[in-house]
Amino acid sequence: MENITENTTDSISRASEAMAGRSACTAWNPDGHKGGMDMGERIFLSSPHMSDEGYELQYVHEAFESNWIAPLGKNVDEFEKEMSEKTGVKYAAALTSGTAAIHMALKAAGVGSGDIVFCSSLTFAGTVNPIIYQNAVPVFIDSDYETWNMDPEALERAFQTHRNVKAVIVVHIFGLSADMDRIGEICRRHNAVMIEDAAESLGSLYKGRYTGSIGDYGIFSFNGNKIITSSGGGMLVSDDQERIAKVKFWATQSREPARHYQHEELGYNYKMSNVVAGIGRGQLRVLEERVAKKKAICEFYRKELGGLEGVGFMPQNDWDEPNCWLSCITLRGKVRPLDIMTALEKENIESRPVWKPLHMQPFFRSYDFVGSHVAEQLFENGVCLPSDTKMTGEQMDRVAGIIKGVWR
Ligand SMILES: *Cc1c(COP(=O)(O)O)cnc(C)c1O
């Protein structure tokens, strides 16, 4: 084993960038997959997993049969209906990505130039970029150790020091629920719209309710690395019928109902295609199976790695029934995240650091941050372990064996 003792944040960034030569910047990528087919068996963090029954292809086939290879169409309408039934939210709009869904949620919430939007810092850039698209101003909020998500106390402090706060984007990172009762109460008291970024947490329950169904708006992603995928896509859900109708209008270039092309507002080309929606519908039918497997993977790691010196796991809360999208550990002892990532990569197994907080990203450095060092610490000490639902028992044993080997 190489004993790598550097532990600064920058060295983690550098080393993971070097490793990403093979595995790029999303948790799964086509190049890695191609290579993996040659070598037989690269083990991924989280990669697409179509149903054994072939549901996805059936729906795509229907689209072909009817020649409905277009944005809008039956699969799109049905996918929206099925997602709203699944999550218990009244209305849904199928869009091209989770990022587009956040963008439309912000616009629907009335966020515009100069407005402040509070946003979890420990997340993917897709959460925050749409704030900039709207010429609004993000303020990043730290995590707490109890949830790894937005710290309600930091949120409350942020409201004391900032005015014109229009909206709060609260993320359920890795499928763990944020402290929604407290965050919801704070948002209501300060008249801020609450947008839930449930891109990673489809199927996670907070006090028996689906994450994404609790805020004023919820968004989901069907990108290739998520718990289910449509090859790329997103969904915005809300109980506000008028706002969802408006989003569908904006997402189709704000085309007015007229015989000619008439436009009275800025528009976007954000509607999901009927083919993509077919894949999404098929995947939704196996969501619970995927959640069960992800949970089993998480339990397996707890059992196998729990006894190792310095290893901590993701938090467990009474209210929370996570989908376990990614299984992550933290390291407090002699073994550093890089030791584990290097050992796994040598065996053609993908792992990666916990998200680098947005307030530490060069592009977002000029924006305010409220909190201390929790998100930063999670980044410095965390590792996301292979959580692919296609992993066999044998492969899981191999991964655990390699990780345990680092302690020897
Ligand atoms: C993946 C992801 C997004 C963006 O979703 P896309 O469909 O890739 O645009 C947003 N937020 C979080 C937390 C994500 O993990």
Side-chain angles (χ1 to χ4, degrees):
M1 179 202 111
E2 284 167 21
N3 194 5
I4 300 159
T5 50
E6 297 171 292
N7 63 359
T8 67
T9 303
D10 275 356
S11 75
I12 291 179
S13 299
R14 265 200 316 277
S16 16
E17 275 153 24
M19 289 199 306
R22 265 215 242 175
S23 51
C25 55
T26 54
W28 172 85
N29 85 91
D31 294 343
H33 194 64
K34 230 190 292 160
M37 263 158 29
D38 288 338
M39 289 178 280
E41 48 176 317
R42 177 163 172 84
I43 298 176
F44 292 102
L45 210 55
S46 181
S47 71
H49 185 179
M50 295 299 112
S51 67
D52 294 336
E53 297 84 353
Y55 297 135
E56 299 84 357
L57 215 48
Q58 283 170 31
Y59 291 120
V60 170
H61 197 74
E62 279 174 29
F64 271 77
E65 297 262 273
S66 58
N67 251 317
W68 215 275
I69 311 299
L72 315 180
K74 182 183 169 216
N75 279 334
V76 175
D77 296 343
E78 293 297 317
F79 192 28
E80 286 170 347
K81 214 160 79 196
E82 288 157 5
M83 276 294 289
S84 84
E85 278 162 11
K86 176 79 199 170
T87 57
V89 185
K90 287 199 187 114
Y91 306 99
L95 302 168
T96 46
S97 70
T99 308
I102 295 173
H103 187 188
M104 291 295 95
L106 289 168
K107 198 171 156 71
V111 171
S113 198
D115 289 331
I116 288 173
V117 178
F118 291 159
C119 173
S120 306
S121 185
L122 188 75
T123 183
F124 174 57
T127 307
V128 65
N129 281 332
I131 300 174
I132 313 289
Y133 303 163
Q134 283 303 98
N135 294 312
V137 182
V139 171
F140 297 112
I141 312 291
D142 204 359
S143 296
D144 58 30
Y145 288 115
E146 288 70 39
T147 65
W148 287 21
N149 286 304
M150 186 178 274
D151 175 6
E153 273 158 37
L155 179 64
E156 184 66 64
R157 278 207 306 284
F159 272 112
Q160 304 314 319
T161 48
H162 291 84
R163 298 281 168 260
N164 295 324
V165 183
K166 261 277 172 47
V168 174
I169 305 180
V170 52
V171 180
H172 304 289
I173 209 71
F174 303 127
L176 299 165
S177 302
D179 189 346
M180 292 308 284
D181 280 350
R182 285 176 73 195
I183 291 169
E185 187 276 319
I186 295 167
C187 288
R188 276 190 298 280
R189 187 151 37 79
H190 294 279
N191 262 325
V193 176
M194 181 161 70
I195 299 167
E196 277 182 277
D197 179 347
E200 300 176 5
S201 68
L202 178 57
S204 298
L205 296 165
Y206 171 84
K207 297 190 176 174
R209 295 169 71 187
Y210 280 105
T211 56
S213 75
I214 300 157
D216 299 292
Y217 298 92
I219 77 94
F220 301 97
S221 166
F222 308 105
N223 189 37
N225 59 348
K226 299 306 197 288
I227 190 156
I228 60 169
T229 179
S230 63
S231 76
M235 190 78 68
L236 173 66
V237 296
S238 172
D239 284 334
D240 189 329
Q241 183 173 22
E242 183 270 329
R243 292 282 87 188
I244 291 292
K246 194 79 199 195
V247 163
K248 289 183 185 180
F249 169 76
W250 290 326
T252 43
Q253 304 286 21
S254 295
R255 206 183 143 190
E256 298 289 339
R259 190 179 296 277
H260 59 278
Y261 282 88
Q262 174 81 8
H263 303 280
E264 297 170 12
E265 285 184 63
L266 178 62
Y268 304 83
N269 186 2
Y270 274 174
K271 276 299 282 180
M272 182 181 279
S273 104
N274 199 40
V275 174
V276 162
I279 305 173
R281 290 182 73 193
Q283 284 271 280
L284 194 54
R285 290 177 67 170
V286 292
L287 173 63
E288 294 309 325
E289 252 175 75
R290 298 291 175 266
V291 171
K293 178 68 187 256
K294 294 272 192 190
K295 282 180 178 166
I297 293 168
C298 193
E299 280 315 302
F300 171 81
Y301 283 133
R302 276 183 198 275
K303 189 162 63 68
E304 290 292 317
L305 311 178
L308 295 169
E309 195 202 322
V311 170
F313 285 91
M314 304 164 91
Q316 287 180 302
N317 291 297
D318 291 344
W319 66 58
D320 196 8
E321 208 180 299
N323 68 0
C324 302
W325 174 58
L326 292 186
S327 289
C328 309
I329 54 171
T330 55
L331 296 159
R332 289 287 172 192
K334 189 166 87 267
V335 171
R336 303 301 306 147
L338 203 50
D339 301 327
I340 290 180
M341 292 187 282
T342 309
L344 289 172
E345 192 53 45
K346 260 195 213 144
E347 302 290 328
N348 200 19
I349 299 168
E350 186 185 21
S351 62
R352 83 183 37 241
V354 162
W355 295 117
K356 179 170 176 172
L358 295 175
H359 73 277
M360 298 168 72
Q361 301 285 358
F363 185 73
F364 297 109
R365 222 162 242 166
S366 62
Y367 299 104
D368 262 3
F369 166 71
V370 180
S372 57
H373 300 283
V374 179
E376 195 178 318
Q377 290 278 309
L378 290 170
F379 169 58
E380 280 180 20
N381 299 313
V383 190
C384 303
L385 301 175
S387 309
D388 199 284
T389 50
K390 295 194 300 310
M391 272 196 295
T392 62
E394 211 173 296
Q395 286 176 318
M396 283 159 65
D397 286 336
R398 226 180 99 216
V399 171
I402 293 162
I403 295 171
K404 285 191 259 188
V406 179
W407 269 261
R408 276 183 212 120

